[in-house]
Structure formats: C-alpha cells, structure tokens
Amino acid sequence: MEAFIHADHYHFIQEQGRSIVQAKVQSTDKGVVQAVREMALEKIANKLSDLNDEQKQLLIDMKLIEDKEGLESFLGKLKPYVIPFPAVSEKTVEKAFPKVKKLKQPDLEDYDLQETVYLRWEDLGTNRTYMLIPKQGKLVGVSGFLETSVHKGICTICGGLSEVSLFTVEKKGRIRGTYSKKGNYICKDESACNHNIKDIDKLHAFLDNLQ
Ligand SMILES: [Zn+2]
C-alpha cells in the first residue's frame, strides 16, 4: 500500500486518538468512551474521503486504542503511510525564490518530512525566514522577517494558541520604489506549528492573503 495520508490529516488523526485516550481517563462509562471512539472514526472518515478498503482497514484499528501506549503503537503503524514533504532539491528551492541572491538552503536532515506540512527555515545571517508551501501540486515560496519577541497568541497558519511572533512580508507596490507590508502572527517554533496543522486550509488562507 502506498502512502496516502497527508501530514495535516495525520495530525488530525493524532488529535482524535488523544481524545479517545482522554475519554478513557476521564470516564468509566464504557458507552461514553465508545461514543468518543465512533465519533473520532466518523470525523476521520469525513476528512479523509475516498479511502479504499485496505486504507479503511488500517484506520479502523483506532477502535482498539485503550491508552497512550496503544495510541503510540497505532500511530506508529500509520506513519509509513504518511506522504512526506518532498525532498526538495537546491534547484527547486532556488526556483521558488527567483529574486533572492545567495539564498540559504534548508537542511532537510533537520526535519521529519512526514510531519512537515510546510517547510520553514531561517537565514540567521540576513535574519530572513523562508517557507515553501504546497498548493495545487506546486510549492509556493514565501519569505519575510520573523520578529524575535514572542507572546501568547493565535497562530495564523495553524490556528493554535501558542508562542507567536510577528512575521512580516514585504511586497513591492505598483509604483516603483514603494512597498506594502503584511504582518501575521505565527508560531515562533516551526516544528510546533507544523505539528499543530490539522487542516491545510488556514495555511492556504495565509498564503492567499499575502498574494
Ligand atoms: Zn502555528
């Protein structure tokens, strides 16, 4: 069986699995736990539509989750079927940022590509933050400045409450020499942000808003 689960959906399944474990801890009523289980499976089925029988079979093991260890083992079995973020070549990265000279390349070894919905890295020399965002089979490049100061807030990309910083993207205006700036608060921690993406829609809305 080929990989068929997108990273954001994998995170969604993780969240649903955690809700089952939590229900088990909080309730001794078997009916309640069963209801949470059924609901989790239904939500997953709605999100991951068009599954074949083999794929469904893999996910249905969610019914067997009893505790944290069970959840970990279930997720371990799913992981080989998560579609990794593409191992981009230097050329692909350069193509996404045609105007940037001396572009800093991401070090792909620093990432768990199966947990990566969008690729984000920093050039500490120029203080620039780069992103590659998958959209409609393409990778769209975004670059900007991420402030060093952090505060608690909602991240525009993942929608989670976390330690966020202001990310500013400059855009050339129609009149030569003019710029417009767009700022969004996003998770300071790239990995935490990726793990928190359970639906790619917010990431796409963030991207659309910049363009
Ligand atoms: Zn985030």
Side-chain angles (χ1 to χ4, degrees):
M1 187 169 26
E2 274 180 37
F4 66 98
I5 306 166
H6 291 282
D8 55 324
H9 290 162
Y10 182 62
H11 298 147
F12 182 77
I13 295 168
Q14 280 178 346
E15 186 186 48
Q16 292 306 314
R18 281 196 292 268
S19 74
I20 295 173
V21 174
Q22 207 178 359
K24 274 233 68 161
V25 172
Q26 286 172 347
S27 177
T28 47
D29 186 336
K30 276 188 180 165
V32 170
V33 179
Q34 193 52 29
V36 172
R37 257 186 233 281
E38 297 289 341
M39 204 146 70
L41 267 170
E42 201 179 304
K43 281 185 190 169
I44 291 166
N46 284 339
K47 199 157 262 259
L48 285 80
S49 48
D50 299 329
L51 295 178
N52 65 32
D53 287 345
E54 208 181 353
Q55 292 165 341
K56 276 183 195 155
Q57 199 54 47
L58 189 73
L59 290 168
I60 219 151
D61 280 353
M62 191 152 204
K63 282 194 168 172
L64 307 174
I65 295 171
E66 293 288 337
D67 49 24
K68 229 177 151 185
E69 287 71 31
L71 173 61
E72 290 306 319
S73 124
F74 169 72
L75 292 172
K77 279 182 200 147
L78 281 195
K79 192 101 189 249
Y81 303 105
V82 178
I83 303 164
F85 190 88
V88 285
S89 66
E90 289 195 3
K91 261 213 168 115
T92 305
V93 176
E94 278 166 12
K95 248 176 124 178
F97 301 97
K99 286 176 192 153
V100 182
K101 288 172 198 151
K102 289 187 188 163
L103 177 67
K104 164 100 164 48
Q105 292 281 338
D107 189 350
L108 295 181
E109 290 195 352
D110 292 345
Y111 301 85
D112 178 343
L113 294 177
Q114 284 170 305
E115 300 266 5
T116 303
V117 181
Y118 73 105
L119 195 69
R120 176 170 137 196
W121 68 101
E122 265 175 278
D123 181 347
L124 295 174
T126 60
N127 224 357
R128 264 189 177 273
T129 292
Y130 296 96
M131 297 177 188
L132 280 179
I133 299 175
K135 200 180 177 194
Q136 289 164 349
K138 287 185 185 158
L139 291 170
V140 185
V142 169
S143 73
F145 294 95
L146 188 63
E147 277 187 5
T148 45
S149 61
V150 290
H151 68 265
K152 268 245 169 324
I154 301 287
C155 168
T156 313
I157 290 176
C158 68
L161 177 67
S162 65
E163 295 284 317
V164 293
S165 297
L166 187 63
F167 176 66
T168 311
V169 174
E170 267 186 359
K171 211 179 147 191
K172 270 192 181 149
R174 286 206 188 121
I175 302 161
R176 232 177 118 187
T178 62
Y179 288 91
S180 64
K181 279 185 179 179
K182 267 190 183 162
N184 284 286
Y185 284 98
I186 64 169
C187 290
K188 180 76 183 162
D189 182 345
E190 158 287 310
S191 168
C193 191
N194 263 295
H195 277 86
N196 207 28
I197 300 176
K198 290 141 199 147
D199 196 309
I200 205 165
D201 289 355
K202 279 198 183 68
L203 178 61
H204 285 163
F206 161 80
L207 185 61
D208 292 344
N209 187 40
L210 293 178
Q211 288 168 340

